[in-house]
């Protein structure tokens, strides 16, 4: 046991009498291994920064001895070689070297996200995946023995076919001798025939004085010799005995098509709580309204009003302002998986701002003056960018899809009848099944399937007033959430357009909900106000009970006793 952990053994867990090994920087509190597990899994504390005590006191394990120079310890890290080096490691003298502690800290920071995912997601899914894998293992065993015997049968059939083919081939080879023989016979026959023809010709050209006319006439009465030569070829008869389709069939009939990563559907991991629960509230500096929200991480969020587009942290402190964002638009920004901001600028080009906010590049340049982009959404599942546009002259709207290199791949514009689907798309998003979901200020929430076919338009709850849709988002359970300006509510509908509930009604601090953003990592919902700079974060989705109750120890026992 090293000194660091024994030093901290006196600390007790914040939640139970257990010994502490971890520290939550966000709370802050000390945690034992078991309580740490629950802390990083609980959706309320899922984004907390939990470190081991060793990290907390910045303890770096014993100085390690160089394998090449045992009297020296590692002090530097060779960047090009990716190796720790000591003072005497001359080979790396000319390479770029960094302090080993700095590199350790940087690398640790870089892997924080991965560690977080492993802690809160991968380990959490294990109790669900493990029993499924066991079942699959059993199924595979039975199914594969079936396949195996089938494959053996097929192998035998194939072998028989090959044997048959070989026999045919041999037969044809021998037939070749016969062929030669027959040709020889014909050659002899032919030369005899030529001789007789020559005789015939000779008689015809015989000078008159040596040949009487009578003799000539009588000789030509004899019929001209005739010959009938049959054409004989040696053609291999393989096609008859070996059918291509048969071979194909016997080789390809066994197919195992199911591939890909093992996944757990959110339906069996998450569920709705009885109502939306307040989690946190923030007042964003630099905007006076919250027209649109795009989450980067659980503690970084882009918020825009009529003229400003600001990056803020969870305390509301402004971190960056985009100078050239387009005014008077709603859903004008989105964030991709690289944490880059994608937004519409004043010239109606679609730009990309790098994660470090130092580089802005034009991702899609506006080339068509009749269509103006109004809203954007970056799809996590496809990596595509969806853009809602409108045409001011014709008062129609459309949705365009661009791939990762910015090429236009799809346009969604009309019903099958030719009637337009949209008028003024204000916000756009995507559901987990690939549906394109548009909040259109005139014709409600318009949902089309991935291919562009209209699925439904949501115009409000069955016994309610007609919707005036604003901000929109979808969640991990494929619900569609939409702000209604008329009733000042956030309505939840299912993926097929059925009204489920009013998630929020004139929520305190916001009153008039305008914008929504769902964080796929924490499953929290950010709601922005139409009239002020308040964003309130709610929780309305929680882990399934059966899973939160399972700690890794009991999960393993369950696996064994199965
Ligand atoms: Zn504990
Ligand atoms: Zn905490
Ligand atoms: Zn060395
Ligand atoms: Zn080197």
């Amino acid at each position: 046991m090293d000194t660091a952990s024994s030093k901290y053994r006196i600390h007790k867990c914040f939640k139970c009498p257990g010994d502490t090994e971890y520290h939550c920087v966000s709370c802050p509190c000390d945690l034992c291994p078991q309580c740490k597990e629950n802390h990083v899994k609980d959706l309320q504390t899922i984004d907390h920064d939990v470190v081991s005590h060793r990290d907390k006191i910045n303890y770096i394990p014993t100085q390690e001895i160089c394998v090449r120079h045992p009297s020296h310890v590692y002090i530097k890290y060779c960047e090009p070689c990716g190796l720790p080096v000591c003072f005497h490691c001359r080979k790396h003298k000319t390479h770029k070297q960094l302090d080993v502690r700095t590199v350790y800290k940087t690398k640790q920071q870089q892997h924080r996200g991965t560690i977080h995912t492993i802690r809160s997601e991968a380990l959490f899914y294990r109790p669900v995946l493990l029993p499924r894998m066991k079942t699959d293992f059993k199924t595979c065993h039975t199914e594969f023995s079936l396949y195996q015997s089938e494959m053996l049968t097929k192998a035998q059939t194939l072998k028989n076919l090959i044997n048959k083919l070989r026999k045919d081939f041999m037969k044809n080879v021998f037939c070749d001798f016969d062929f030669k023989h027959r040709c020889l016979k014909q050659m002899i026959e032919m030369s005899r025939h030529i001789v007789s023809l020559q005789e015939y010709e000779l008689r015809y050209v015989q000078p008159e004085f040596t040949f009487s006319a009578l003799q000539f006439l009588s000789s030509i009465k004899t019929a001209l010799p005739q010959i009938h030569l049959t054409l004989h070829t040696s053609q291999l008869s393989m096609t008859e005995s070996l059918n291509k389709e048969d071979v194909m069939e016997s080789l390809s009939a066994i197919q195992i098509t199911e591939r890909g990563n093992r996944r757990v559907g959110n339906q069996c991991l998450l569920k709705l709580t009885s109502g939306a629960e307040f989690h946190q509230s923030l007042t964003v500096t630099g905007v006076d309204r919250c027209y649109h929200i795009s989450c980067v991480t659980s503690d970084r969020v882009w918020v825009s009003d009529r003229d400003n587009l600001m990056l803020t942290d969870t305390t509301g402190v402004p971190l960056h302002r985009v100078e050239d964002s387009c005014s008077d638009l709603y859903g004008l920004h989105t964030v991709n998986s690289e944490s880059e901001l994608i937004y519409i600028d004043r010239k109606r080009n679609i730009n990309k701002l790098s994660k470090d906010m130092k580089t802005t590049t034009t991702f899609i340049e506006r080339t068509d003056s009749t269509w103006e982009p109004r809203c954007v959404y970056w799809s996590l599942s496809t990596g595509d960018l969806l853009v809602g546009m409108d045409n001011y002259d014709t008062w129609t709207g459309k949705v365009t899809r661009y791939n990762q290199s910015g090429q236009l791949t799809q346009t969604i514009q009309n019903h099958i009848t030719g009637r337009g689907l949209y008028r003024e798309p204000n916000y756009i998003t995507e559901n987990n099944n690939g549906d394109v979901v548009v909040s259109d200020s005139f014709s409600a929430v318009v949902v089309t399937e991935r291919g562009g076919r209209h699925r439904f338009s949501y115009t409000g709850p069955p016994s309610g007033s007609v919707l005036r849709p604003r901000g929109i988002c979808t969640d991990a359970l494929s619900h569609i959430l939409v702000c209604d300006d008329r009733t000042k509510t956030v309505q939840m509908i299912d993926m097929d357009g059925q009204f489920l509930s009013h998630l929020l009604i004139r929520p305190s601090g916001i009153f008039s909900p305008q914008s929504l953003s769902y964080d796929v990592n924490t499953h929290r919902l950010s709601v922005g106000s139409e009239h002020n700079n308040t964003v309130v974060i709610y929780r309305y989705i929680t882990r399934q009970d059966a899973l939160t109750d399972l700690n890794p120890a009991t999960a393993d026992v369950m696996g064994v006793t199965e």
Side-chain angles (χ1 to χ4, degrees), residues 1 96 237 318 403 420 426 548:
M1 188 158 296
K96 192 188 174 193
S237 54
N403 65 16
N426 279 332
T548 39

Side-chain angles (χ1 to χ4, degrees), residues 173-393:
V173 170
F174 287 119
C175 143
D176 192 41
F177 289 105
D178 178 47
F179 171 72
K180 268 187 199 162
H181 178 70
R182 276 189 282 165
C183 285
L184 199 68
K185 255 169 69 182
Q186 282 200 357
M187 254 171 69
I188 298 163
E189 213 179 311
M190 183 74 102
S191 6
R192 278 193 201 133
H193 184 66
I194 290 168
V195 171
S196 65
L197 285 178
Q198 279 168 343
E199 276 172 13
Y200 197 82
E201 191 209 6
L202 203 68
R203 261 180 246 160
Y204 182 76
V205 296
Q206 202 73 250
E208 276 171 59
F209 53 90
T210 60
F211 203 77
S212 81
L214 194 70
Q215 258 182 324
F216 175 73
L217 286 172
S218 67
S219 78
I220 58 159
K221 270 183 189 164
T222 350
L224 188 72
Q226 299 231 330
I227 186 166
H228 298 285
L229 298 173
T230 48
L231 179 75
H232 47 254
T233 56
S234 168
Q235 200 177 35
L236 294 177
S237 54
M238 283 181 203
T239 44
E240 289 164 33
S241 60
L242 201 63
N243 181 306
K244 192 173 114 192
E245 278 70 36
D246 283 350
V247 181
M248 292 285 279
E249 197 257 344
S250 57
L251 288 175
S252 65
I254 299 168
Q255 280 182 342
I256 298 157
T257 47
E258 208 176 314
R259 283 159 195 276
N261 293 334
R262 194 174 281 274
R263 281 172 202 277
V264 191
N266 279 321
Q267 306 295 337
C268 58
L269 295 172
L270 303 167
K271 62 170 187 182
L272 291 173
T273 59
S274 51
E277 209 177 292
F278 173 89
H279 180 78
Q280 195 192 348
S281 170
L282 58 125
T283 308
V284 186
T285 314
V287 293
D288 53 13
R289 286 142 200 269
C290 302
Y291 276 4
H292 188 45
I293 310 169
S294 294
C295 283
V296 188
T297 53
S298 64
D299 57 353
R300 292 276 185 284
V301 60
W302 287 97
V303 182
S304 58
D305 62 10
R306 196 178 291 274
D307 302 299
N308 307 286
L309 172 51
M310 306 290 302
L311 179 69
T312 177
D313 68 8
T314 35
T315 58
V317 172
L319 302 169
H320 190 83
R321 181 178 185 272
V322 173
E323 296 299 329
D324 62 343
S325 63
C326 188
S327 300
D328 294 318
L329 288 184
Y330 291 107
L332 81 158
H333 51 93
T334 184
V335 171
N336 68 13
S337 59
E338 312 291 317
S339 298
E340 294 168 315
L341 175 79
I342 297 170
Y343 68 97
I344 303 169
D345 76 4
R346 276 188 212 119
K347 293 176 189 156
R348 301 280 181 142
N349 292 325
I350 298 169
N351 291 348
K352 214 185 244 184
L353 176 67
S354 64
K355 191 184 177 182
D356 61 9
M357 289 169 291
K358 286 181 180 145
T359 339
T360 306
T361 45
T362 306
F363 181 53
I364 295 155
E365 202 180 342
R366 186 186 177 195
T367 48
D368 183 351
S369 61
T370 52
W371 290 96
E372 290 195 326
R374 296 180 58 84
C375 51
V376 287
Y377 179 77
W378 184 83
S379 160
L380 180 69
S381 59
T382 59
D384 290 345
L385 182 73
L386 295 167
V387 182
M389 300 195 184
D390 84 327
N391 183 329
Y392 193 76
D393 301 325

Side-chain angles (χ1 to χ4, degrees), residues 163-175:
N163 279 342
K164 200 172 159 200
L165 180 75
R166 205 175 57 184
K167 266 186 220 152
D168 273 359
F169 181 71
M170 293 306 279
K171 212 164 78 191
N172 279 308
V173 170
F174 287 119
C175 143

Side-chain angles (χ1 to χ4, degrees), residues 110-123:
Q110 282 169 355
H111 289 87
R112 180 149 289 169
T114 317
I115 298 295
H116 184 262
T117 313
I118 293 171
R119 277 178 180 171
S120 59
E121 303 293 328
L123 288 177

Side-chain angles (χ1 to χ4, degrees), residues 13 15-16 18 31-32 35:
C13 173
K15 296 207 167 161
C16 78
L31 295 159
C32 73
C35 292

